[in-house]
Amino acid sequence: MGDRTRLEIANGVAWLTLDDGKVNALSTEMLGEIAAALDAAAGAGAIVVLRGRAGMFSAGFDLKTFRKGPAETVAMLRAGAEVNVRLLTFPRPVLAVCTGHAYPAGAFLVMSSDVRWCVDGPWRIGMNEVAIGLTLPWFEIELARHRLTPPGFARLTTGALFPPDEARHFGYVDRIVAPADTEDAVRAEVERLLALDMPSFAATKLRVNALAVRAIRDAVDAELKDVAA
């Protein structure tokens, strides 16, 4: 698909892998590749399996872009928010398999998916902006409000990152799978998802995510105007 992503579509399934050879930083360019992959998957009527490489799902937004100035920052944040909304409204099921560390924007990709798994391992998942000198954007807060448990949402203020078992407790993921069982579990879940009635799925998904999508879009429009000013 590009220098930072791989896409394989076969038998109604789009296998989308994030792998830039480094930490899968979500630059504007990488987010563009993800959006293009989702376009291709939607065109094929495929469900999506979104994965990183072993040990690293994504380290989040590209910090170098923040240092380039307001215009570049706004472009990256808007691209990230649009990918999150795209996942929340995608007309086919999206299974995210968190294969390693998932820092803020990486965690958002997982949280925007329909089925959210984590491969067990010594990694951390969460939203640590305040620990690195950033204030959480409102659109991130709205996604967290939609997905996290109340205790998990309350922990946003302290910038904590969590191992897989705590991440599941707080709502970042909904299942932890053993590394040796991952491929079989994913393929079994893919078969289950493929058997869904897709028109009913798509209509129900839009209803379930409607308030969050509206809140995210409103927050992006309001907040990024302030960043650009």
Side-chain angles (χ1 to χ4, degrees):
M1 194 70 205
D3 295 335
R4 306 162 185 85
T5 60
R6 298 193 305 273
L7 178 67
E8 300 176 17
I9 301 178
N11 302 317
V13 184
W15 302 88
L16 174 55
T17 303
L18 311 181
D19 189 357
D20 66 358
K22 300 177 183 177
V23 297
N24 290 341
L26 295 175
S27 62
T28 306
E29 293 76 17
M30 187 167 192
L31 289 163
E33 290 187 15
I34 295 171
L38 293 175
D39 287 342
I47 71 170
V48 175
V49 179
L50 174 61
R51 304 181 287 187
R53 67 173 186 278
M56 177 56 68
F57 185 76
S58 170
F61 283 127
D62 180 23
L63 296 181
K64 296 190 297 295
T65 301
F66 286 119
R67 296 191 287 269
K68 292 179 179 179
E72 291 82 358
T73 295
V74 167
M76 180 177 66
L77 293 176
R78 187 174 293 280
E82 288 174 353
V83 166
N84 294 152
V85 168
R86 184 66 187 278
L87 291 169
L88 288 166
T89 59
F90 194 77
R92 293 291 187 269
V94 179
L95 165 60
V97 183
C98 185
T99 52
H101 298 294
Y103 304 148
F108 306 153
L109 292 179
V110 177
M111 293 159 64
S112 297
S113 302
D114 301 296
V115 182
R116 298 166 288 129
W117 289 5
C118 183
V119 179
D120 201 11
W123 17 88
R124 294 293 183 269
I125 302 167
M127 300 165 67
N128 68 330
E129 283 93 338
V130 301
I132 57 174
L134 299 173
T135 300
L136 270 73
W138 278 108
F139 70 85
E140 297 180 9
I141 290 173
E142 293 301 337
L143 177 58
R145 193 192 313 276
H146 181 54
R147 286 300 195 213
L148 300 184
T149 63
F153 186 74
R155 294 297 298 274
L156 297 183
T157 58
T158 62
L161 297 171
F162 307 103
D165 58 340
E166 289 186 64
R168 182 167 66 88
H169 174 74
F170 288 133
Y172 288 96
V173 299
D174 51 47
R175 180 178 175 183
I176 300 170
V177 292
D181 299 335
T182 300
E183 289 304 315
D184 288 343
V186 167
R187 293 190 180 278
E189 182 67 2
V190 162
E191 291 302 315
R192 187 186 75 83
L193 295 173
L194 285 170
L196 296 176
D197 180 78
M198 293 305 169
S200 299
F201 165 82
T204 299
K205 177 174 178 174
L206 289 178
R207 292 183 179 187
V208 168
N209 293 338
L211 293 179
V213 168
R214 188 178 306 123
I216 291 168
R217 284 175 168 157
D218 289 347
V220 168
D221 290 341
E223 188 164 36
L224 295 191
K225 287 178 182 176
D226 293 337
V227 175

